[in-house]
Amino acid sequence: MITAAGLGTRFLPATKAQPKEMLPVVDKPAIQYVVEEAVAAGIDDILIITSRSKRSIEDHFDRQFELEHHLSNAGKQDLHDAVVDLASLADIHFVRQSSPLGLGHAVSVARKHVGDNPFVLLLGDEFMDTSSTLLPDMMRIHDQYGRSVLSLQEVPSEEIGRYGSVKPEPMSDNLVQILDLVEKAPAATAPSNLAVMGRYIFTPEIFDKIDKVEPGVGGEIQLTDAIAMLIADQAVYGVVFEGGRHDTGTVPAYLETIVELALSRDDIGPDFGRFLAETCRRRGLI
Ligand code: G1P
């Protein structure tokens, strides 16, 4: 399950008439990286939660015969294949969240599709580097314990208030059991500096908890509050990871992600790097 239903208010006016998930990160829309991450982890059935004016996400993962024909005739076989392959990455389904009532509510919209099965949730405004093993590591822990698993990353105290934060009980190297969690608690009251990041595996019992959750931070149905309720009935684990997360959820984070990915490309990275270094020098930044 990938959530892509947000209004994108942090990116206005760019997102007035287009979904933030379609903003390009170098030459692919942000959501394509998320779908590719899921596919690389072996997931072949993907449900994307969208909302009004997100139609271009559906079009992006569909065939586009006119374009394919044009590319083929123009002898641009590589581009043709890339466009065709996009439509066969996985079985991709869409369901709409009709009102922006929060992340917990967006997840609940998928209940009928998921049924009585465990599922992976990827938040659509962040993705892991192709070198990251986070999702497979989480799947292994889920296979071992049969319980929900969250992804956790240590962040500086001044940033913890932007995230869900957890009270961890260390188990082994990168594994903790989660004893409690709170949404967007400031550093003074956060249970630790371990932040919940946008990769989750849930047992289907999470849906009953979401149904019981009252509006929380920001008046929204918070997924974090539902997980806190789940902990009372079932153990919930956390996999702690260090690097490899690319955030596209805020303008500064989005720019950092683009720079990182552009620099890592063999074709455009070296020239772009020289340009950046030169620009920074010229502006007295380095
Ligand atoms: C959401 C979750 C939060 C989590 C964060 C990760 O917050 O509610 O618990 O830490 O994603 O990016 P949002 O970024 O939607 O405010």
Side-chain angles (χ1 to χ4, degrees):
M1 181 189 311
I2 299 175
T3 48
L7 295 173
T9 45
R10 290 174 187 146
F11 283 86
L12 283 169
T15 49
K16 186 180 171 208
Q18 66 170 335
K20 70 170 177 189
E21 294 79 10
M22 290 301 291
L23 294 177
V25 175
V26 187
D27 53 7
K28 288 185 210 175
I31 189 129
Q32 189 177 332
Y33 292 90
V34 184
V35 168
E36 287 173 349
E37 179 188 340
V39 170
I43 294 169
D44 61 2
D45 182 48
I46 297 177
L47 179 72
I48 304 184
I49 320 283
T50 65
S51 58
R52 267 187 299 286
S53 57
K54 302 264 185 176
R55 223 186 153 141
S56 56
I57 300 180
E58 298 182 34
D59 291 340
H60 185 69
F61 294 104
D62 200 355
R63 297 292 296 267
Q64 229 277 40
F65 293 108
E66 196 181 332
L67 176 65
E68 291 167 20
H69 186 69
H70 171 79
L71 292 171
S72 195
N73 281 351
K76 296 182 175 163
Q77 203 54 38
D78 287 357
L79 285 176
H80 170 272
D81 294 349
V83 165
V84 171
D85 289 349
L86 258 175
S88 54
L89 274 173
D91 284 340
I92 304 184
H93 314 268
F94 298 88
V95 61
R96 285 187 183 199
Q97 182 192 24
S98 51
S99 319
L101 298 178
L103 179 59
H105 179 262
V107 170
S108 75
V109 165
R111 186 171 194 161
K112 278 198 182 142
H113 183 97
V114 173
D116 203 20
N117 297 299
F119 64 98
V120 177
L121 168 67
L122 301 96
L123 303 192
D125 55 9
E126 55 187 83
F127 60 89
M128 298 304 296
D129 205 81
T130 47
S131 61
S132 166
T133 59
L134 176 63
L135 214 45
D137 291 346
M138 291 172 69
M139 288 169 156
R140 215 170 316 113
I141 298 301
H142 172 76
D143 286 346
Q144 193 176 340
Y145 295 96
R147 293 298 185 212
S148 299
V149 186
L150 313 187
S151 59
L152 304 172
Q153 190 179 26
E154 182 138 9
V155 300
S157 335
E158 60 273 21
E159 288 174 24
I160 194 70
R162 285 200 235 147
Y163 301 97
S165 52
V166 306
K167 182 176 176 193
E169 169 78 28
M171 291 176 65
S172 59
D173 268 1
N174 300 325
L175 183 64
V176 299
Q177 184 170 346
I178 296 171
L179 304 182
D180 196 10
L181 75 169
V182 273
E183 181 67 11
K184 299 198 171 59
T189 54
S192 75
N193 278 358
L194 273 183
V196 179
M197 295 305 182
R199 299 294 176 263
Y200 309 75
I201 298 177
F202 285 117
T203 55
E205 286 79 14
I206 191 69
F207 290 118
D208 283 340
K209 303 302 177 197
I210 295 174
D211 282 352
K212 296 199 179 91
V213 162
E214 298 288 334
V217 174
E220 298 187 343
I221 303 294
Q222 295 290 349
L223 182 61
T224 299
D225 296 343
I227 305 170
M229 286 170 76
L230 186 66
I231 286 175
D233 295 351
Q234 293 182 354
V236 172
Y237 300 95
V239 170
V240 183
F241 69 98
E242 276 179 9
R245 174 176 176 265
H246 300 295
D247 187 358
T248 59
T250 64
V251 173
Y254 170 70
L255 293 175
E256 285 171 23
T257 295
I258 292 179
V259 169
E260 278 279 356
L261 266 72
L263 288 176
S264 71
R265 287 258 298 248
D266 291 340
D267 54 348
I268 54 175
D271 279 351
F272 182 58
R274 273 186 288 276
F275 163 79
L276 270 186
E278 202 178 292
T279 307
C280 289
R281 263 194 300 275
R282 182 162 38 84
R283 292 180 171 268
L285 294 169
I286 50 172

